[in-house]
Amino acid sequence: MPTQKHSNIQDPKQLRALAHPLRWKIIDLLTVHGQSTATKCAEALGESVANCSYHLNTLAKYGYVEQAPGGQGREKPWRIASTEQSWDVNGVNADPESAAAGQAATEAFLDFEATRMKSALRRSPSEPEEWRKANGFSATLAFVTPEELKELRSELQALLQRYNDRFENAELRPEGHRAVRLFLASTLADTPDKEGD
């Protein structure tokens, strides 16, 4: 099991370690499969073993992954060290270096999520009908205060975490389950709406 539950990242070097697309793929692979070796990562991601080994070691250096028991060399298994990471996306409480590193990490994460969603959309016609009907995308526009937005995000995050116990304990996963990625974002409109409109 991962050694930490949550990590709030503030160190610019640690944040910059997340600004690489392959590292997000590795984090995702380990999150879904629990653990993997550099060799298995390479096979799953279409990368060289040496490249995956390098990025696993970089992720380990900054505390994102850790060695799991067993194996040696490139056959040693790795697992996620923390099931959740967060950082100040807007750099509100950060120095300029940390803010820039946080921005780069966030952009890499969003690129990864967008690529994953587009890939899922392209695969959709070949998915079983019950999964196609259950899955999808949606968006809306809300006119809220900062306090209301914080409350709304908190409520939505609680919904997203409803099945977290199944992440940590595979025995709780029901028959017929699949790993499903749930993604939550709130973005401010490009221009503020006029008072009273």
Side-chain angles (χ1 to χ4, degrees), residues 125-192:
S126 65
E127 293 287 2
E129 184 180 0
E130 65 268 23
W131 284 103
R132 287 197 314 269
K133 286 183 175 179
N135 197 29
F137 302 91
S138 63
T140 190
L141 183 66
F143 295 89
V144 295
T145 65
E147 293 75 20
E148 289 172 327
L149 181 56
K150 286 167 86 174
E151 182 179 351
L152 179 60
R153 284 185 54 81
S154 179
E155 291 170 3
L156 292 171
Q157 285 170 333
L159 284 174
L160 293 181
Q161 294 171 356
R162 179 185 295 175
Y163 301 107
N164 274 9
D165 57 342
R166 295 179 185 180
F167 174 79
E168 296 175 0
N169 185 352
E171 293 177 7
L172 297 175
R173 298 171 191 172
E175 186 177 336
H177 78 275
R178 288 179 65 178
V180 174
R181 183 73 174 177
L182 303 171
F183 176 73
L184 170 64
S186 62
T187 55
L188 298 177
D190 288 342
T191 55

Side-chain angles (χ1 to χ4, degrees), residues 25 109-120 122:
K25 291 179 183 179
F109 170 70
L110 291 175
D111 288 345
F112 172 69
E113 287 292 340
T115 298
R116 186 205 318 253
M117 286 187 272
K118 289 177 185 178
S119 176
R122 287 190 293 272

Side-chain angles (χ1 to χ4, degrees), residues 13-118:
K13 290 180 182 175
Q14 191 179 10
L15 285 166
R16 269 192 229 99
L18 291 176
H20 193 288
L22 180 55
R23 292 180 191 152
W24 281 109
K25 291 179 183 179
I26 290 171
I27 287 170
D28 182 56
L29 186 90
L30 294 177
T31 301
V32 172
H33 295 288
Q35 64 181 36
S36 188
T37 64
T39 300
K40 289 180 182 175
C41 283
E43 290 169 3
L45 301 175
E47 297 285 337
S48 72
V49 176
N51 199 22
C52 286
S53 181
Y54 169 78
H55 288 292
L56 280 162
N57 280 294
T58 301
L59 287 168
K61 177 180 177 181
Y62 293 104
Y64 298 111
V65 303
E66 62 189 13
Q67 290 183 15
Q72 293 182 8
R74 290 182 178 165
E75 296 310 311
K76 64 187 172 193
W78 295 89
R79 64 185 177 193
I80 295 295
S82 175
T83 56
E84 290 182 47
Q85 296 90 27
S86 64
W87 58 91
D88 187 355
V89 176
N90 300 309
V92 175
N93 298 315
D95 60 86
E97 184 182 8
S98 295
Q103 186 85 21
T106 302
E107 287 184 16
F109 170 70
L110 291 175
D111 288 345
F112 172 69
E113 287 292 340
T115 298
R116 186 205 318 253
M117 286 187 272
K118 289 177 185 178

